Amino acid sequence: MKGHFNVAHQPGSTLGHLLHDAGGRLLRWYELHRQRDELARLSDATLHDLGLSRADIQQEADRHFWEDPLRK
Protein backbone atom coordinates (compact mmCIF):
# COMPACT_ATOMS: atom_id res chain seq x y z
CA MET A 1 0.00 0.00 0.00
CA LYS A 2 1.29 3.41 -0.88
CA GLY A 3 2.30 5.40 2.17
CA HIS A 4 1.98 2.37 4.44
CA PHE A 5 4.82 2.03 6.92
CA ASN A 6 5.33 -1.48 8.24
CA VAL A 7 7.54 -1.57 11.34
CA ALA A 8 7.77 -5.38 11.21
CA HIS A 9 10.35 -5.07 8.46
CA GLN A 10 12.53 -2.61 10.34
CA PRO A 11 15.58 -4.47 11.75
CA GLY A 12 16.09 -1.97 14.56
CA SER A 13 12.47 -2.26 15.59
CA THR A 14 12.62 -6.05 15.76
CA LEU A 15 15.81 -5.94 17.81
CA GLY A 16 14.25 -3.29 20.04
CA HIS A 17 11.22 -5.49 20.67
CA LEU A 18 13.43 -8.47 21.45
CA LEU A 19 15.48 -6.44 23.93
CA HIS A 20 12.33 -5.00 25.49
CA ASP A 21 10.79 -8.46 25.83
CA ALA A 22 14.01 -9.88 27.29
CA GLY A 23 14.26 -7.02 29.76
CA GLY A 24 10.65 -7.53 30.80
CA ARG A 25 11.21 -11.23 31.26
CA LEU A 26 14.33 -10.62 33.40
CA LEU A 27 12.41 -8.16 35.57
CA ARG A 28 9.56 -10.66 35.98
CA TRP A 29 12.00 -13.41 36.97
CA TYR A 30 13.63 -11.13 39.53
CA GLU A 31 10.22 -10.22 40.94
CA LEU A 32 9.23 -13.90 41.21
CA HIS A 33 12.49 -14.66 43.02
CA ARG A 34 11.98 -11.73 45.39
CA GLN A 35 8.37 -12.67 46.17
CA ARG A 36 9.24 -16.31 46.81
CA ASP A 37 12.09 -15.27 49.08
CA GLU A 38 9.78 -12.93 50.97
CA LEU A 39 7.17 -15.68 51.35
CA ALA A 40 9.80 -18.00 52.80
CA ARG A 41 10.60 -15.42 55.49
CA LEU A 42 7.01 -15.06 56.74
CA SER A 43 6.33 -16.20 60.27
CA ASP A 44 4.25 -19.28 61.00
CA ALA A 45 1.58 -17.03 62.55
CA THR A 46 1.35 -14.95 59.38
CA LEU A 47 1.15 -18.07 57.24
CA HIS A 48 -1.64 -19.37 59.48
CA ASP A 49 -3.53 -16.08 59.02
CA LEU A 50 -3.16 -16.49 55.25
CA GLY A 51 -4.34 -20.09 55.39
CA LEU A 52 -1.00 -21.41 54.16
CA SER A 53 1.32 -23.99 55.61
CA ARG A 54 5.10 -23.92 55.79
CA ALA A 55 5.07 -26.85 53.34
CA ASP A 56 3.01 -24.79 50.84
CA ILE A 57 5.52 -21.97 51.06
CA GLN A 58 8.52 -24.29 50.84
CA GLN A 59 7.09 -25.86 47.69
CA GLU A 60 6.66 -22.41 46.12
CA ALA A 61 10.07 -21.19 47.30
CA ASP A 62 11.77 -24.25 45.79
CA ARG A 63 10.46 -23.45 42.31
CA HIS A 64 12.93 -22.14 39.74
CA PHE A 65 12.85 -18.42 39.09
CA TRP A 66 11.71 -18.99 35.51
CA GLU A 67 8.64 -21.00 36.58
CA ASP A 68 6.01 -18.30 36.22
CA PRO A 69 2.49 -19.34 37.26
CA LEU A 70 1.03 -16.62 35.03
CA ARG A 71 2.63 -18.00 31.86
CA LYS A 72 1.08 -21.20 30.61
Side-chain angles (χ1 to χ4, degrees), residues 52-63:
L52 299 170
S53 70
R54 180 64 55 195
D56 294 331
I57 298 307
Q58 191 60 49
Q59 182 179 6
E60 184 63 28
D62 287 344
R63 293 176 75 175

Side-chain angles (χ1 to χ4, degrees), residues 35-47 50 52 54 57:
Q35 289 174 4
R36 289 173 178 154
D37 193 48
E38 194 171 320
L39 272 174
R41 288 193 307 260
L42 293 176
S43 70
D44 289 335
T46 302
L47 293 178
L50 294 171
L52 299 170
R54 180 64 55 195
I57 298 307

Side-chain angles (χ1 to χ4, degrees), residues 29 32-33 36 59-69:
W29 286 346
L32 284 170
H33 169 74
R36 289 173 178 154
Q59 182 179 6
E60 184 63 28
D62 287 344
R63 293 176 75 175
H64 297 288
F65 67 88
W66 61 81
E67 293 181 54
D68 188 345

Side-chain angles (χ1 to χ4, degrees), residues 5-47:
F5 184 75
N6 188 348
V7 295
H9 290 99
Q10 300 297 319
S13 175
T14 302
L15 179 59
H17 286 333
L18 288 174
L19 291 174
H20 181 267
D21 291 347
R25 176 91 33 107
L26 289 172
L27 286 173
R28 175 66 179 153
W29 286 346
Y30 173 75
E31 184 64 19
L32 284 170
H33 169 74
R34 190 193 63 72
Q35 289 174 4
R36 289 173 178 154
D37 193 48
E38 194 171 320
L39 272 174
R41 288 193 307 260
L42 293 176
S43 70
D44 289 335
T46 302
L47 293 178

